[in-house]
Amino acid sequence: MASLRSPEVVIVGAGLAGLVAAHELARAGKRVVIVDQENRGNLGGQAFWSLGGLFLVNSPEQRRMGIKDSVELAWQDWQGSAGFDRPDEDSWGERWARAYVEFAATVKRQYLHDLGLRFTPLVGWAERGGGLAGGHGNSVPRFHLAWGTGPAVMGIFADRVLDAEKRGLVELRFRHRVDELIVEDGAVVGIRGAVLEPSDAERGVASSRTVVDDFEVRAPAVIVAAGGIGHNHELIRRNWPTERLGPCPKSMISGVPAHVDGRMLGIAEDAGGRIVNRDRMWHYTEGINNWDPIWPDHAIRIIPGPSSMWFDAAGNRLAAPNFPGFDTNATMKAILATGHDYSWFVLTQTIIEKEFALSGSEQNPDITGKDLKLTLATRIRKGAPGPVEAFKQHGSDFVVADSLPELVAGMNRIARGPEIELARLEEQIVARDREVANKFSKDAQVMAIHNARRYLGDKLARAVPPHRILDPEHGPLIAVRLNILTRKTLGGLQTNLDSQVLRADGTPMPGLYAAGEVAGFGGGGVHGYNALEGTFLGGCIFSGRAAGLALGKEQA
């Protein structure tokens, strides 16, 4: 198509937030240029690789599963998790949070449904929390898995943006890296940067940064939607909250592609935008090295059910509430407090078959491919799902053995720290195993398993009946070395509810907007200190939509 001579809006980043904003702008008849440093094959950005979970409140799927949810309960959970305590830096993030919870309870599902997105019937219970009603965590299951996973979520917007491209409303310029926001008379009026050499690299593969030309695009408004710092370990280390979580891990593996570099945060700040909550981030403690990697240091997260026993690097069982799937940051702090940056799951074949899910669209080909027959066969038949079994067979972090002495020997072979003592590990496992003889227990994790199985969704698909770890009928034994996986930026450019970027004095920067992770998913930190999960894709949708709607009206 011919180049747009006078775009009304420029969007930096062709990920989910940028696509949502472009969709809304195209609906309003606006002329839009989208630039991205990667090639066309990476349209949709990180969202393509996601599991596709979305946070919804009082949905039909919840009600069909017998879940009673409400805006009041969801807001209680959000506040307890976010812990907003910075009157200045959190002033807009908290307002975004309230608006987002209401969006998740009202407009969000219908908005996505009208665009063609559907959900699987079982609602997941992610981030179950720290044990108190007013504290961190989801009181009820709210993780709605998109049928088609991440590609389906981003696809409903990508399809419409590509259609707008055909109609001449949207121009997509790939291999365009933004190096500067053009500021004139205190307003952002365009972008400058480098044209990178053409690349036919597959989606997610690190691409060349060789510059072949420069470019400039001017427009009355620029939306920055370029993602966070998840693969930029230098920035992560620089901003790591040592006082709150402990020392930054020496070893980290990356849950996002190399292009998630955080460059636009500094560029927008240099132009006059304000960054807040730099120290808030969301990384996972259940990372495993991908045996078949796509990007450098490619990591996959285990999304666990509640039954695996969790031990630190020395083989000491983690204390409550540091159970699988309960409190990400509390567990991070507990692990790093040991002086090591890894931990261990110990489990059985019975547990791995039902309770191990892997993050990522490519790790769930049945659901990603919308193959109902394969999905039912994979999730119901005996044996672990194919991708899980592949990691068990080939993954460098997995140890499989028929006896505990063999298991411990294998763990010590791949350990990066202290040697685990067989007698100490066995003592703790046997103590836990004695607790499963009754339907009640003083062991908080065993109690949590019984609680999980009272929810039908977990009983059907995510939580096995409590059994002895050392019962050979449930073997073989499995140990998994768990690494720190980098993922999300929770702070970012501070924005008002129209996604306008604010300056240090709290006033909007004329012409500059931000959406998605670069804006802390709204306001510079909609999550506060902790996420409830299913809120990252949703935050991109909500903030991208807000930017598109605001500019569509503003320029009408």
Side-chain angles (χ1 to χ4, degrees):
M1 61 169 285
S3 178
L4 290 175
R5 293 185 179 180
S6 55
E8 294 164 278
V9 180
V10 172
I11 299 174
V12 182
L16 180 59
L19 292 176
V20 175
H23 162 63
E24 292 296 343
L25 287 163
R27 286 182 64 201
K30 305 303 175 186
R31 301 182 304 279
V32 180
V33 168
I34 305 174
V35 299
D36 195 285
Q37 64 182 345
E38 298 306 309
N39 62 24
R40 184 175 284 265
N42 284 275
L43 184 67
Q46 295 179 64
F48 177 89
W49 299 106
S50 74
L51 185 59
L54 289 162
F55 177 95
L56 296 174
V57 177
N58 191 27
S59 69
E61 289 80 12
Q62 285 177 301
R63 294 193 294 272
R64 281 194 289 268
M65 295 301 298
I67 300 164
K68 297 178 181 179
D69 200 5
S70 66
V71 170
E72 293 75 21
L73 182 61
W75 181 234
Q76 173 182 297
D77 288 348
W78 197 290
Q79 288 179 299
S81 298
F84 295 118
D85 61 0
R86 299 171 177 173
D88 180 27
E89 293 190 60
D90 285 334
S91 59
W92 282 101
E94 189 167 5
R95 276 179 266 190
W96 271 91
R98 179 67 195 190
Y100 179 70
V101 169
E102 292 177 356
F103 176 67
T106 55
V107 178
K108 182 179 178 182
R109 185 183 182 278
Q110 191 63 51
Y111 176 67
L112 297 173
H113 191 274
D114 289 346
L115 292 171
L117 191 68
R118 299 295 182 265
F119 298 100
T120 60
L122 298 183
V123 182
W125 196 352
E127 206 65 12
R128 302 177 191 222
L132 294 176
H136 170 56
N138 285 294
S139 296
V140 298
R142 298 190 177 103
F143 190 86
H144 294 67
L145 181 59
W147 183 236
T149 68
V153 177
M154 74 91 180
I156 58 175
F157 296 101
D159 289 347
R160 285 160 175 80
V161 170
L162 292 174
D163 179 68
E165 181 185 31
K166 293 176 183 176
R167 292 185 285 119
L169 283 173
V170 172
E171 180 184 353
L172 288 154
R173 298 188 188 179
F174 294 101
R175 304 296 286 160
H176 281 58
R177 185 189 69 198
V178 175
D179 296 324
E180 178 189 356
L181 295 175
I182 303 171
V183 181
E184 295 178 354
D185 298 325
V188 173
V189 296
I191 58 175
R192 291 193 186 101
V195 180
L196 305 178
E197 68 177 352
S199 171
D200 59 0
E202 295 292 323
R203 181 187 286 272
V205 174
S207 62
S208 165
R209 290 294 178 261
T210 299
V211 174
V212 297
D213 202 352
D214 55 25
F215 76 94
E216 177 178 304
V217 183
R218 288 177 174 261
V222 174
I223 302 174
V224 177
I229 67 174
H231 201 103
N232 190 330
H233 291 191
E234 180 183 348
L235 269 180
I236 290 170
R237 295 182 191 284
R238 189 186 307 168
N239 295 319
W240 187 267
T242 302
E243 292 185 4
R244 180 161 48 86
L245 293 182
C248 185
K250 294 179 181 178
S251 175
M252 297 185 289
I253 51 180
S254 301
V256 292
H259 60 74
V260 186
D261 55 19
R263 291 181 70 256
M264 285 306 302
L265 281 163
I267 291 168
E269 186 176 33
D270 289 344
R274 184 191 186 198
I275 298 175
V276 295
N277 301 311
R278 297 174 196 264
D279 63 317
R280 293 181 184 168
M281 39 186 109
W282 192 250
H283 307 301
Y284 291 111
T285 53
E286 310 99 335
I288 52 177
N289 291 279
N290 193 342
W291 66 274
D292 187 19
I294 296 171
W295 54 80
D297 299 318
H298 189 169
I300 297 295
R301 182 200 173 200
I302 295 170
I303 304 175
S307 300
S308 297
M309 295 188 72
W310 207 334
F311 298 91
D312 67 19
N316 299 304
R317 190 179 179 193
L318 298 184
N322 304 313
F323 306 137
F326 274 68
D327 192 327
T328 294
N329 275 338
T331 306
M332 177 77 75
K333 183 177 182 179
I335 291 168
L336 296 179
T338 68
H340 303 284
D341 55 15
Y342 70 99
S343 60
W344 297 96
F345 276 166
V346 173
L347 61 147
T348 65
Q349 178 67 24
T350 297
I351 293 172
I352 202 172
E353 288 182 3
K354 191 170 184 177
E355 295 199 10
F356 266 36
L358 300 175
S359 65
S361 55
E362 83 284 9
Q363 300 297 329
N364 296 272
D366 49 353
I367 300 173
T368 300
K370 300 183 180 180
D371 189 328
L372 180 59
K373 185 177 179 180
L374 180 60
T375 299
L376 292 174
T378 300
R379 310 289 161 162
I380 294 174
R381 71 187 177 197
K382 185 173 176 56
V388 174
E389 184 63 28
F391 269 92
K392 186 181 131 189
Q393 296 293 331
H394 306 294
S396 61
D397 298 299
F398 283 71
V399 180
V400 182
D402 291 324
S403 69
L404 192 59
E406 291 176 287
L407 190 78
V408 171
M411 294 166 72
N412 286 330
R413 278 194 296 272
I414 66 172
R416 295 196 297 268
E419 186 168 293
I420 292 173
E421 295 181 9
L422 170 61
R424 174 59 180 150
L425 191 71
E426 184 174 28
E427 177 185 21
Q428 295 171 90
I429 296 174
V430 168
R432 179 265 185 203
D433 280 359
R434 292 190 182 112
E435 295 290 317
V436 303
N438 296 291
K439 293 184 178 180
F440 42 86
S441 172
K442 73 174 183 181
D443 187 284
Q445 185 176 6
V446 174
M447 294 164 62
I449 297 167
H450 285 298
N451 184 56
R453 286 180 56 79
R454 282 195 282 271
Y455 165 51
L456 180 60
D458 275 352
K459 186 174 183 178
L460 290 173
R462 290 290 285 157
V464 300
H467 61 273
R468 291 186 297 114
I469 298 293
L470 297 180
D471 184 349
E473 292 294 318
H474 293 279
L477 291 167
I478 302 164
V480 187
R481 181 184 60 186
L482 304 172
N483 310 277
I484 306 303
L485 177 154
T486 62
R487 184 62 65 84
K488 294 297 179 187
T489 311
L490 296 188
L493 293 165
Q494 192 171 43
T495 58
N496 63 21
L497 291 176
D498 285 333
S499 291
Q500 291 178 289
V501 175
L502 305 181
R503 295 178 285 206
D505 63 3
T507 61
M509 180 86 182
L512 185 59
Y513 294 72
E517 191 174 349
V518 75
F521 302 94
V526 71
H527 295 95
Y529 291 99
N530 295 285
L532 289 173
E533 296 293 2
T535 55
F536 300 128
L537 293 179
C540 289
I541 293 167
F542 187 49
S543 57
R545 180 174 179 266
L549 289 174
L551 282 167
K553 293 176 183 176
E554 181 179 306
Q555 297 180 7

